[in-house]
């Protein structure tokens, strides 16, 4: 058995995939009315056309979560601490898998670090990599990274979560995996802005490549292995989110580049992450020009032409 906390599109998609793979899943949501609709209709507006398997039990009561089962925390990064703190007593004793991507704005911590602060005795893992909720829910082939410092727990979680269509690869480099998952959102905003402004596909390729260099620079300064970023949690996720309008961060970047207003109700993790990373880079003296430009674009301190000029006028150097 497995529990998923967070009945947004991604959390529900994971629940659907795992349930189809043969596991019973408890899916927790805050909204009791939404839970009642899911139980009655076996559907959710977050995933149109997807039927919830009968082995998913939706609930608004954390007391319904079975004891000691793995819990996947599929809540927005900036809400993770709030949820973990509010339910700390219940979460104690469960293996915890963070399924969000980003860096906490107030602290500069990644998801695994936030959980370790709130629940210092917990075994924490991270699920990340190139994936869209709709693809997972439809059973389309997807591969993700499962990062956990405890190899034995990682193998147990890998077997419990993986399905014939959802393939998991293990790593013990949690820092590398979560830094890649966070930074790819920032670079996706930059790529969307480049395309939205009409700078072209070649410009996007350049932003992706130099953005990847920033991702590796930050991750290795944090103690990660550079090769981790060449995997699913880094390069793989970067390739997906920088090229598809299904990515909220890329779509947000498109709106920036076009000078359009973006739907404020849509969570864009890369916006908060860009600010957090910009601040960390400044403290540590890490050169991250694309992240700096993205932050200034989001804050309205730059227009696209000026942003392009800043990047193109940087000193010529070896790659």
């Amino acid at each position: 058995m497995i529990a998923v906390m967070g009945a947004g599109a991604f959390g529900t998609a994971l629940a659907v995939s795992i349930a189809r793979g043969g596991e019973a899943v408890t899916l927790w949501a805050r909204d009791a009315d939404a839970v009642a609709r899911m139980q009655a209709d076996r559907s959710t507006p977050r995933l149109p056309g997807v039927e919830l398997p009968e082995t998913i039990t939706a609930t608004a009561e954390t007391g319904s979560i079975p004891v000691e089962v793995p819990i996947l925390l599929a809540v927005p990064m900036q809400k993770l601490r709030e949820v973990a703190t509010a339910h700390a007593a219940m979460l104690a004793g469960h293996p915890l898998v963070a399924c969000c991507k980003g860096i906490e704005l107030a602290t500069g911590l990644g998801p695994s670090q936030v959980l370790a602060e709130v629940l210092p005795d917990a075994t924490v893992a991270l699920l990340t990599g190139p994936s869209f909720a709709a693809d997972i829910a439809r059973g389309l082939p997807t591969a993700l990274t499962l990062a956990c410092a405890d190899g034995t727990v990682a193998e147990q979680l890998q077997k419990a979560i993986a399905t014939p269509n959802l393939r998991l690869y293990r790593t013990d480099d949690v820092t590398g995996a979560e830094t890649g998952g966070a930074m790819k959102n920032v670079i996706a905003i930059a790529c969307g802005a480049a395309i939205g402004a009409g700078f072209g596909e070649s410009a996007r390729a350049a932003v992706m490549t130099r953005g990847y260099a920033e991702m590796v620079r930050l991750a290795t300064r944090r103690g990660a292995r550079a090769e981790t970023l060449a995997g699913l949690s880094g390069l793989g996720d970067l390739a997906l989110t920088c090229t598809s309008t299904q990515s909220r961060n890329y779509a947000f970047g498109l709106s920036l580049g076009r000078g359009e207003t973006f739907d404020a109700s849509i969570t864009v993790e890369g916006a908060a992450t860009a600010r957090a990373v910009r601040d960390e880079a400044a403290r540590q003296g890490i050169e991250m020009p694309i992240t700096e430009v993205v932050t200034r674009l989001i804050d309205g301190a730059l227009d696209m032409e000026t942003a392009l000029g800043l990047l193109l006028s940087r000193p010529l150097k070896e790659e």
Side-chain angles (χ1 to χ4, degrees):
M1 299 181 68
I2 286 182
V4 178
M5 291 185 70
F10 193 66
T12 305
L14 287 172
V16 168
S17 176
I18 294 167
R20 285 179 183 155
E23 291 277 357
V25 181
T26 301
L27 177 61
W28 175 87
R30 294 175 187 265
D31 188 340
D33 291 336
V35 165
R37 288 193 297 272
M38 282 191 283
Q39 283 292 93
D41 301 339
R42 309 309 300 174
S43 65
T44 172
R46 300 299 187 101
L47 295 170
V50 175
E51 182 178 353
L52 303 185
E54 292 296 330
T55 47
I56 292 179
T57 301
T59 182
E61 303 294 332
T62 55
S64 300
I65 295 176
V67 177
E68 296 185 351
V69 301
I71 297 179
L72 278 57
L73 291 157
V75 298
M77 179 63 222
Q78 304 307 321
K79 293 289 185 181
L80 180 61
R81 183 182 296 273
E82 176 186 326
V83 171
T85 301
H87 301 289
M90 183 278 297
L91 293 171
H94 293 265
L96 303 178
V97 184
C99 301
C100 49
K101 301 172 183 177
I103 294 175
E104 191 174 48
L105 185 55
T107 65
L109 300 179
S112 71
Q113 296 168 309
V114 169
L115 291 177
E117 269 201 356
V118 178
L119 295 149
D121 295 327
T123 299
V124 176
L126 178 78
L127 188 64
T128 187
S131 57
F132 290 136
D135 292 349
I136 292 175
R138 290 168 58 199
L140 299 179
T142 304
L144 298 176
T145 295
L146 179 69
C148 184
D150 187 319
T152 300
V153 172
E155 288 190 34
Q156 293 169 348
L157 290 171
Q158 183 182 38
K159 291 175 183 176
I161 299 169
T163 72
N165 294 314
L166 182 61
R167 183 173 177 82
L168 304 188
Y169 289 86
R170 299 189 312 273
T171 180
D172 61 0
D173 185 3
V174 180
T175 298
E178 69 181 4
T179 304
M183 275 300 300
K184 62 89 185 180
N185 285 333
V186 178
I187 307 308
I189 293 173
C191 286
I195 294 297
F199 294 161
E201 301 285 349
S202 298
R204 173 166 59 184
V207 170
M208 285 178 65
T209 306
R210 297 311 304 162
Y212 177 76
E214 290 190 17
M215 181 188 294
V216 174
R217 203 174 297 143
L218 177 65
T220 52
R221 179 67 66 89
R222 289 176 153 199
R225 299 190 296 268
E227 58 265 29
T228 302
L229 282 300
L232 292 164
S233 60
L235 182 59
D237 217 351
L238 189 70
L240 183 69
T241 51
C242 291
T243 58
S244 174
T245 54
Q246 286 190 71
S247 162
R248 292 169 296 181
N249 293 280
Y250 179 73
F252 175 63
L254 282 174
S255 72
L256 283 177
R258 294 168 178 165
E260 300 172 350
T261 300
F262 191 73
D263 185 348
S265 68
I266 298 175
T267 301
V268 180
E269 294 283 17
T273 297
R275 295 185 177 101
V277 170
R278 185 269 314 272
D279 293 346
E280 181 177 349
R283 288 193 303 270
Q284 298 199 35
I286 307 172
E287 193 176 28
M288 302 189 73
I290 295 175
T291 301
E292 174 66 28
V293 163
V294 167
T295 305
R296 294 173 68 182
L297 282 172
I298 292 169
D299 291 341
L302 279 183
D303 58 47
M304 285 302 300
E305 290 296 333
T306 305
L308 178 65
L310 285 173
L311 292 175
L312 293 182
S313 63
R314 287 178 54 76
L316 300 175
K317 62 180 184 178
E318 289 186 355
E319 187 174 25

